[in-house]
Amino acid sequence: MSSNAPRRPVRDLRFFLTVPHACSYLPGKEATTLFLDPQESPVPGVYDSLSLLGFRRSGRHLYRPHCEGCNACRSVRIPVNDFRANRTQRKVWRRNADIKTRVIPARFDAAHYALYADYIRQRHADGDMFPPSRDQYRTFLTLEEPYAHLLEMYLEGELVAVAAFDQLEHGLSAIYTFFKVDEALERRSFGTLAILKLIELCQEKRLSHLYLGYWIEECRKMRYKQAFSPIELLDGRHWRPLMR
């Protein structure tokens, strides 16, 4: 995103709160979401500033958790210049030396949707995104904005994974990754590979951080984020190392 446009102070923006709803991550908990007024386009500067305050993008909406009496959701990011791959991550990198990648705008593609729909059916049939639909996919992962991108991964010419991400002034923001679910491909760990590829892309673009969204200590599905070290979490308005 360009840094030449004048910044609009965050205090001048309008925000709304959702009504409490069932938490997607912690059983028995209720969640409330703070989101930017949908009439406010996430123009250059606004998205960058809000990402530093823990906001994420879903479709055209910028949001963050705002739950009364609970702060379990913590924004996390990787300082890419300090990142050191562990043994498992190095093995994943080597196993996927034959993967070819391409970065394209975040536009609808039928092959992407077919891969996404199969992934949701096989991996997340009990989640909020089931059953998948083309409209749901378009709303979630396609966006006609210069900062919105898709990282395609190919194995021997076949599309096997797609990682949606945004380019900010100070880093990349990982939005969502989906991939081919096949027992023969499990050892390739496409989810881990996507993060490693985005770290590499950050380094190539001389961007300082890769934003990984939210981390909840009690949520088993989010523990993979702790494997990337060092990692920082947002504590109020300050980013600090996550001590484990």
Side-chain angles (χ1 to χ4, degrees), residues 31-203:
T32 307
T33 304
L34 178 70
F35 64 95
L36 179 65
D37 182 351
Q39 300 302 315
E40 299 272 8
S41 176
V43 295
V46 170
Y47 188 0
D48 298 285
S49 297
L50 290 179
S51 68
L52 290 172
L53 296 175
F55 279 75
R56 299 278 291 160
R57 181 179 70 80
S58 177
R60 299 201 64 84
H61 300 288
L62 296 181
Y63 72 94
R64 75 176 184 189
H66 191 82
C67 306
E68 184 175 353
C70 179
N71 64 347
C73 293
R74 313 297 292 274
S75 295
V76 291
R77 67 184 187 180
I78 300 169
V80 298
N81 292 330
D82 297 327
F83 171 71
R84 296 294 180 269
N86 61 27
R87 183 180 178 185
T88 299
Q89 291 158 355
R90 291 194 297 270
K91 286 182 177 179
V92 169
W93 191 260
R94 290 194 296 269
R95 285 176 190 146
N96 289 286
D98 53 350
I99 292 288
K100 306 299 182 185
T101 62
R102 182 175 69 152
V103 174
I104 62 171
R107 296 176 183 145
F108 182 83
D109 183 286
H112 295 168
Y113 172 70
L115 186 66
Y116 168 85
D118 185 66
Y119 173 80
I120 295 297
R121 292 187 190 106
Q122 295 203 54
R123 284 291 187 96
H124 298 290
D126 60 345
D128 297 340
M129 292 185 290
F130 183 84
S133 71
R134 286 179 176 243
D135 285 344
Q136 172 219 50
Y137 175 83
R138 288 178 187 272
T139 301
F140 179 30
L141 292 178
T142 67
L143 187 66
E144 294 283 342
E145 292 288 353
Y147 54 76
H149 304 280
L150 300 173
L151 173 69
E152 298 178 318
M153 299 187 212
Y154 290 89
L155 176 61
E156 298 179 350
E158 179 188 5
L159 180 70
V160 293
V162 177
F165 72 94
D166 291 341
Q167 181 168 341
L168 308 173
E169 288 181 350
H170 41 76
L172 300 181
S173 178
I175 304 296
Y176 195 73
T177 297
F178 54 94
F179 48 83
K180 183 174 182 178
V181 180
D182 186 323
E183 187 175 346
L185 298 175
E186 282 187 6
R187 292 182 72 250
R188 286 184 174 267
S189 302
F190 288 136
T192 295
L193 179 64
I195 295 177
L196 294 175
K197 289 288 187 182
L198 291 177
I199 290 172
E200 181 183 53
L201 191 57
C202 276
Q203 293 168 338

